[in-house]
Amino acid sequence: MMLRSQEDLDSIADAHRLLSDGAISPSELVEEHIRRIAEREPTIRAWAHLGLEAARDRAKALDARLGTMATIPPLFGIPFGAKDIIHTRQLPTEAGSRVLAGFQPDKNATVIDRLEEQGAIMLGKTTTTEFAHMGGPPKTTNPWNHAHTPGGSSSGSAASVAASMAMFALGSQTAGSLSRPAAYNGLTVLKGTFGRVSKAGVIPASWTLDHIGGFTHSVEDAVLLYNGIAGPDPEDEFTWALPYQPLKLRPRRDFTIGFVDHPYFASASRDVQAGIDDARRAFEEAGVRIVSVQLPEGFEAAAAAHAVVMQSEMAAFHADWYARTPDRYTPEVRAYLADGQGLKAMDYLRAQRIRAQYRSVFAKVFGQVDVLLTPAAPSAAPEGLSATGSPVFNLPFTHLGIPTLVVPTGFDSAGTLPVGMQLVAPAAQEQTLVDVGLLYQSVTDWHRRRPAL
């Protein structure tokens, strides 16, 4: 059938309504995305592995079930991609590295099992920098401008959704690998509190820093995805302390937003700052109170501790592989691991102590505000594919393990590359982020813009 608009195939919520009404089938959704992959993948290069025949077979099986179900789950029949550090039975998991060339897991990661249980359809695995590190970037391009990076390390996940080759795509964040690509590609990303989404079956970059999330086009879709993958998992002890708390879509305007006034964010470009100023005006016109907020002393020191924690944990995880096959790593990652092996236990423990102490100090910032507002990245997507941009604006909040939401706020001065803002909430307050983000996207339409492909 002919869909009403491209957005019908970008919005999980709209596709769910079409599927529920019998106006489209899972097979029709999958075939349209396969057509787009054939058309756009040669330029975007977002996919590491594709399983299109398996996706077709799964869609046909779901077609048969569709007419027998009184209601269908929100992610039923929705085509998606998964970052190539997430274990999948049907496709290799190589983590963008020669170290794992040809590796085929014998079981899925928990997030994949949860999505499959709800009827989501995996199209393939998306590209990543080597082991989700800053080094070894893939040749994936930004759909808004192919000469620019889509960001990383979740490069292919962001690019596949921005190019409408998948309706959502899973990624991970250890510093800024969800938030930064979302800003660079005009997407919406909800990164939950540390431990909200299971990491079982995901190759770690850093055990105590990694977060799992997904790229979508809207806050509404982000809620549907989050509700589908969040919750405690017996196989991930970090999830045990947080109960499953599904998010809701509810209209609210009674917020106080704290605009972060701190030198740490002074490197934001004029284009990014213009987007932040426009967002502030949109909130104020919607009746939201905006106040200036100073961050507690020690913010930079806590952010610096992140580097020690990440490097120590990554070096520890890779110790055996590195000892056996160091030449299979890219030079950047090989050097990073070698330096990490030189860190002492004292360095690591001190960094974790700084982190724990500052987490309690930082929580007091939210005494007078509901959320904080900062730029999502220092600039629009940088030119070139040899690097993926800076996570500097995201890593402090990843380090603290608190939830963030990134949404688009406009474009650069040339009108070609998206920019975005980052909303930050206290631990376990994802619902507040969703409330604020939903209000913003109800009075702006940046999240509806698409690249010309």
Side-chain angles (χ1 to χ4, degrees):
M1 67 169 290
M2 181 64 69
L3 294 174
R4 296 190 301 270
S5 69
Q6 174 173 304
E7 194 172 329
D8 287 331
L9 282 184
D10 287 341
S11 166
I12 297 171
D14 284 348
H16 175 67
R17 286 186 278 269
L18 290 170
L19 286 162
S20 297
D21 292 342
I24 191 172
S25 69
S27 285
E28 287 173 306
L29 270 181
V30 165
E31 288 303 326
E32 174 60 17
H33 284 82
I34 290 174
R35 183 193 68 78
R36 291 182 177 189
I37 289 170
E39 174 185 273
R40 300 168 185 180
E41 174 61 8
T43 303
I44 306 298
R45 301 189 290 272
W47 300 93
H49 311 285
L50 286 165
L52 302 183
E53 289 308 312
R56 282 187 167 116
D57 291 342
R58 179 162 170 77
K60 290 175 183 176
L62 295 178
D63 290 346
R65 290 177 54 193
L66 188 59
T68 68
M69 303 172 71
T71 60
I72 61 173
L75 300 179
F76 183 93
I78 303 299
F80 75 96
K83 187 174 181 177
D84 197 29
I85 61 168
I86 300 173
H87 282 194
T88 49
R89 276 193 308 266
Q90 294 183 342
L91 290 171
T93 300
E94 296 179 334
S97 178
R98 291 189 300 151
V99 174
L100 290 184
F103 172 59
Q104 183 80 45
D106 58 6
K107 63 181 294 188
N108 287 332
T110 295
V111 286
I112 300 297
D113 279 340
R114 287 181 174 175
L115 290 171
E116 290 192 348
E117 287 166 5
Q118 295 166 75
I121 302 173
M122 186 172 65
L123 297 171
K125 306 294 288 296
T126 54
T127 60
T128 175
T129 59
E130 187 174 27
F131 288 109
H133 178 261
M134 295 288 286
K139 299 300 182 183
T140 308
T141 67
N142 189 310
W144 293 91
N145 186 325
H146 303 317
H148 290 246
T149 179
S153 59
S154 306
S155 309
S157 293
S160 66
V161 176
S164 298
M165 293 189 287
M167 299 192 75
F168 71 86
L170 297 176
S172 66
Q173 177 156 310
T174 311
S177 298
L178 290 167
S179 302
R180 181 170 83 261
Y184 288 173
N185 291 274
L187 300 174
T188 297
V189 156
L190 174 62
K191 182 197 74 65
T193 304
F194 179 77
R196 280 292 199 196
V197 180
S198 173
K199 302 188 301 296
V202 180
I203 298 170
S206 177
W207 295 289
T208 67
L209 290 170
D210 291 343
H211 297 64
I212 306 303
F215 297 93
T216 63
H217 283 291
S218 69
V219 172
E220 182 178 18
D221 284 359
V223 167
L224 297 177
L225 175 56
Y226 175 90
N227 287 347
I229 62 175
D233 176 16
E235 296 189 25
D236 182 355
E237 63 179 305
F238 291 114
T239 67
W240 297 350
L242 293 171
Y244 177 60
Q245 294 178 318
L247 302 177
K248 301 176 181 178
L249 298 172
R250 57 188 193 183
R252 280 188 60 196
R253 293 175 183 256
D254 56 330
F255 307 112
T256 299
I257 295 178
F259 175 75
V260 175
D261 182 12
H262 193 279
Y264 188 87
F265 298 96
S267 63
S269 70
R270 290 183 179 179
D271 293 339
V272 168
Q273 191 57 53
I276 296 297
D277 293 342
D278 287 346
R280 289 185 63 175
R281 282 191 290 272
F283 278 126
E284 289 170 341
E285 290 171 3
V288 175
R289 181 169 174 256
I290 306 265
V291 298
S292 182
V293 170
Q294 299 292 323
L295 298 181
E297 184 178 352
F299 184 77
E300 293 96 333
H306 172 279
V308 176
V309 172
M310 180 177 172
Q311 192 166 21
S312 297
E313 293 183 356
M314 190 168 180
F317 175 78
H318 285 269
D320 290 343
W321 288 342
Y322 180 82
R324 294 196 303 268
T325 58
D327 57 314
R328 292 189 181 180
Y329 291 91
T330 58
E332 304 99 316
V333 174
R334 188 163 61 243
Y336 183 83
L337 296 176
D339 289 344
Q341 290 184 351
L343 291 169
K344 299 178 180 179
M346 184 182 299
D347 300 322
Y348 176 74
L349 293 173
R350 183 184 295 115
Q352 287 285 29
R353 180 62 176 163
I354 291 170
R355 181 186 188 187
Q357 289 176 330
Y358 194 72
R359 188 180 288 119
S360 61
V361 171
F362 192 84
K364 298 174 183 177
V365 169
F366 296 104
Q368 303 299 320
V369 300
D370 296 294
V371 299
L372 303 176
L373 189 159
T374 78
S379 68
E383 187 172 4
L385 304 182
S386 62
T388 61
S390 172
V392 64
F393 288 176
N394 320 120
L395 70 83
F397 309 113
T398 309
H399 192 55
L400 294 172
I402 55 180
T404 61
L405 176 71
V406 170
V407 296
T409 57
F411 290 86
D412 63 5
S413 56
T416 58
L417 289 167
V419 293
M421 70 174 167
Q422 176 176 241
L423 298 166
V424 186
Q429 295 302 310
E430 288 87 358
Q431 183 64 62
T432 304
L433 284 179
V434 166
D435 293 343
V436 176
L438 188 66
L439 172 62
Y440 179 74
Q441 291 190 340
S442 74
V443 298
T444 63
D445 70 349
W446 300 117
H447 62 292
R448 299 186 185 278
R449 308 294 179 90
R450 303 290 183 265
L453 295 168

